[in-house]
Amino acid sequence: MSLALTDLCRYPIVQAPMAGGVSGPQLAGAVAEAGALGFLAAGYKTADGMYNEVKDVRRLTGRPFGVNLFMPQQLLADPSAVEVYRHQLAGEASWYETPLGDPDADGDDGYEAKVAILLEDPVPVVSFTFGCPAREVLDAFAEAGTFTVVTVTSAQEARNAQWAGARAVCVQGTEAGGHRSTHRDDPQGGLTGTGLLTLVAEVREAVTLPLVAAGGLMRGSQITAVLAAGAEAAQLGTAFLACPESGAHPLHKQALTDPLFVTTALTRAFTGRPARGLVNRFVREHGRYAPAAYPQVHQLTSGLRKAAAKSGDAQGMALWAGQGHRMARELPAGELVHLLAAETEAARAAVSGRSAR
């Protein structure tokens, strides 16, 4: 790991920034305090809301942490396809007794304002999802002393991030839960992807930047595997989802190990962008019809998801989860960090022992 990134945390473990209220100050603060790199998710928050959460984390820990930003998205969706999907969801609106959202509502996530705040009052790390910032933005963060990470899903995206001036890339394999962080949503190939170990190898050969590996990682032995493959750190999201400090809905936490939910799939059903979640009724019934239309579909289904959660119906919720979800452990975040670190060290020792024979 580069010296700048190594100095940020004791363990090569990063807590993924999970938007929607999951990765809030309590989780990020507890992870950072335990010696890993905690992350706030600024997506779906106002700029002021993000800033208040940054202050909350600083009250909880004096250790380094990161903030993740969503890149602005080009609105390229076919309006007629969105309208067809609206009709497809009419029965859901009736069932949950809630109106569908307005797909044409302002989808601005406040990117410019958030960047301005983080440049004026810098945090140790800022990462980016759904694209790569312009060189001048990354240069400005470098001048402010902030370490920047761009999430990538291909070797070409990694090359673009290196050219733009990113300090590191987070390599997201298809096993990862939540949204695929593709820089361009391909309507034809968006529900496919490259496995993490293969992708780490491809990106390792394409760029000279430090790599953070993300995708389905739940145990220290898996962290050891990606470190051996060329990553400098491992990013885990689903592993922290069940922690008490996580802001995930209780039904979401329970579903991770519920025998009723046996598999995950990449789907556009809830947001219009490929995202991996537990396969429930909503995914089965609507996934095949959902258009490539983010954030329009996200706005269209927002009320449905909230109504499903309020009524205690996990079958209508977006249950984002990686492929290793059944290995989730309901532990306090700090305890989980220490356990993962111990497992990683034990796996490394076992590998060294076998090599010495």
Side-chain angles (χ1 to χ4, degrees), residues 1-2 5 8 14 17 37 39 65-69 71 124-133 138 141-142 146-152 161-162 165-172 181 183 209-214 233 235:
M1 200 183 302
S2 75
L5 189 54
L8 294 176
V14 179
L37 185 62
F39 255 96
F65 64 96
V67 174
N68 175 260
L69 302 180
M71 292 297 299
V125 186
V126 172
S127 69
F128 302 88
T129 295
F130 300 153
C132 181
L138 292 172
F141 275 116
T146 296
F147 194 94
T148 53
V149 183
V150 173
T151 309
V152 302
Q162 179 170 267
R167 295 290 301 279
V169 291
C170 178
V171 181
Q172 186 196 49
S181 189
H183 293 188
L209 296 174
L211 312 186
V212 178
Q235 179 171 287

Side-chain angles (χ1 to χ4, degrees), residues 47 50 55 61 71 84 112 122 144-145 168 192 213 242 247 259 265 278 293 343 355:
M50 176 201 73
K55 292 191 290 185
T61 182
M71 292 297 299
V84 169
E112 299 291 345
T192 62
L278 301 176
E343 290 175 346
S355 300

Side-chain angles (χ1 to χ4, degrees), residues 86 89-102 282 299-311 316:
R86 171 192 282 277
L89 297 177
E92 299 286 348
S94 176
W95 175 258
Y96 290 114
E97 298 181 337
T98 191
L100 295 172
D102 179 4
F282 198 99
Q299 292 163 175
L300 193 64
T301 68
S302 177
L304 297 179
R305 289 177 274 131
K306 291 175 182 176
K310 186 176 181 179
S311 66

Side-chain angles (χ1 to χ4, degrees), residues 19 64 124 135 162 188 194 199 204 209 262 294 306 317 319 342:
R135 176 180 289 274
Q162 179 170 267
Q188 304 303 318
T194 304
L199 188 57
R204 180 72 288 156
L209 296 174
V262 297
Y294 178 89
K306 291 175 182 176
M317 296 169 59
L319 304 172

Side-chain angles (χ1 to χ4, degrees), residues 94 105 112 153 165 220 281 298 305 352:
S94 176
E112 299 291 345
T153 61
R281 178 194 59 78
H298 168 75
R305 289 177 274 131
S352 297

Side-chain angles (χ1 to χ4, degrees), residues 105-254:
D106 184 8
D108 179 21
D109 201 52
Y111 172 76
E112 299 291 345
K114 291 171 183 176
V115 167
I117 288 172
L118 293 173
L119 287 174
E120 183 177 342
D121 189 4
V123 297
V125 186
V126 172
S127 69
F128 302 88
T129 295
F130 300 153
C132 181
R135 176 180 289 274
E136 53 266 29
V137 174
L138 292 172
D139 287 347
F141 275 116
E143 291 176 9
T146 296
F147 194 94
T148 53
V149 183
V150 173
T151 309
V152 302
T153 61
S154 71
Q156 186 56 54
E157 290 177 352
R159 292 187 192 97
N160 295 342
Q162 179 170 267
W163 181 87
R167 295 290 301 279
V169 291
C170 178
V171 181
Q172 186 196 49
T174 191
E175 304 94 334
H179 282 103
R180 295 275 294 146
S181 189
T182 50
H183 293 188
R184 178 182 177 276
D185 184 13
D186 180 1
Q188 304 303 318
L191 298 184
T192 62
T194 304
L196 180 59
L197 288 177
T198 298
L199 188 57
V200 165
E202 290 179 354
V203 174
R204 180 72 288 156
E205 291 187 2
V207 300
T208 58
L209 296 174
L211 312 186
V212 178
L217 305 177
M218 303 292 289
R219 296 288 188 267
S221 58
Q222 295 170 299
I223 295 174
T224 300
V226 296
L227 296 179
E232 285 74 23
Q235 179 171 287
L236 292 77
T238 306
F240 287 100
L241 199 61
C243 294
E245 297 91 344
S246 157
H249 192 283
L251 287 176
H252 192 171
K253 296 182 180 185
Q254 294 166 15

